[in-house]
């Protein structure tokens, strides 16, 4: 799976410029892999991809799916708003000026990513690895 595939879907379905769509997805992956601690799986996706660990591909796929499910749950409960760290990170990384637009783009991107986590978990895991330089 490539970033172009996901960004193309995001662009087609939601009318987001493909370059911006790719930036939003990259920012989401960057945020998820940089989070530390907290005891939840979304606080440790980066460690699942660290060199020298003993995590299996199944562990990595499960971690990605868990993190996305957690974020989608927050989105569905109305908790993934403009002051959420993920939305702020996406806004900073992409240069989107309007926090509402950053939230909207992030919500759409999470839906596409979750769809692929369920339908093509190996492909999404591969994309995480590529974006992390592995």
């Amino acid at each position: 799976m490539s970033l172009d595939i996901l960004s193309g879907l995001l662009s087609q379905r939601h009318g987001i410029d493909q370059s911006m769509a790719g930036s939003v997805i990259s920012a989401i992956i960057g945020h998820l892999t940089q989070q530390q601690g907290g005891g939840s799986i979304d606080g440790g996706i980066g460690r699942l991809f660290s060199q020298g660990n003993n995590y299996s591909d199944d562990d990595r796929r499960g971690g990605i799916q868990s993190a996305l499910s957690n974020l989608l749950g927050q989105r569905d409960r109305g908790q993934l708003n403009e002051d959420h760290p993920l939305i702020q990170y996406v806004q900073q990384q992409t240069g989107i000026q309007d926090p509402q637009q950053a939230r909207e783009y992030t919500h759409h991107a999470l839906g596409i990513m979750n769809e692929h986590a369920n339908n093509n978990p190996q492909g999404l895991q591969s994309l995480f690895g590529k974006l992390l330089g592995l």
Side-chain angles (χ1 to χ4, degrees), residues 77-96:
R77 291 187 300 271
Q79 298 167 333
L80 199 59
N81 52 34
E82 289 85 359
D83 63 349
H84 190 280
L86 172 60
I87 305 301
Q88 292 177 347
Y89 186 82
V90 167
Q91 188 175 3
Q92 291 167 353
Q93 294 299 307
T94 62
I96 297 172

Side-chain angles (χ1 to χ4, degrees), residues 26-53:
S26 294
I28 292 170
I29 290 173
H31 179 78
L32 289 175
T33 57
Q34 291 176 14
Q35 296 304 297
Q36 302 297 320
S40 63
I41 192 67
D42 68 339
I45 288 179
R47 74 176 149 67
L48 292 174
F49 287 87
S50 325
Q51 302 238 348
N53 68 39

Side-chain angles (χ1 to χ4, degrees), residues 2-123:
S2 72
L3 183 59
D4 290 341
I5 291 171
L6 287 181
S7 61
L9 284 170
L10 188 55
S11 177
Q12 290 171 355
R13 290 185 189 174
H14 300 287
I16 301 169
D17 174 78
Q18 187 160 349
S19 175
M20 178 57 72
S23 295
V24 170
I25 291 167
S26 294
I28 292 170
I29 290 173
H31 179 78
L32 289 175
T33 57
Q34 291 176 14
Q35 296 304 297
Q36 302 297 320
S40 63
I41 192 67
D42 68 339
I45 288 179
R47 74 176 149 67
L48 292 174
F49 287 87
S50 325
Q51 302 238 348
N53 68 39
N54 293 321
Y55 293 107
S56 69
D57 286 344
D58 285 341
D59 292 334
R60 291 181 183 111
R61 286 189 291 272
I64 292 166
Q65 289 172 324
S66 176
L68 290 172
S69 291
N70 181 18
L71 287 169
L72 288 168
Q74 290 178 47
R75 179 190 75 176
D76 294 345
R77 291 187 300 271
Q79 298 167 333
L80 199 59
N81 52 34
E82 289 85 359
D83 63 349
H84 190 280
L86 172 60
I87 305 301
Q88 292 177 347
Y89 186 82
V90 167
Q91 188 175 3
Q92 291 167 353
Q93 294 299 307
T94 62
I96 297 172
Q97 297 297 314
D98 179 8
Q100 180 65 25
Q101 185 179 45
R103 184 191 68 78
E104 180 183 322
Y105 286 8
T106 301
H107 282 204
H108 293 318
L110 286 170
I112 299 277
M113 292 172 71
N114 187 59
E115 180 182 316
H116 279 274
N118 292 323
N119 297 330
N120 184 5
Q122 297 87 351

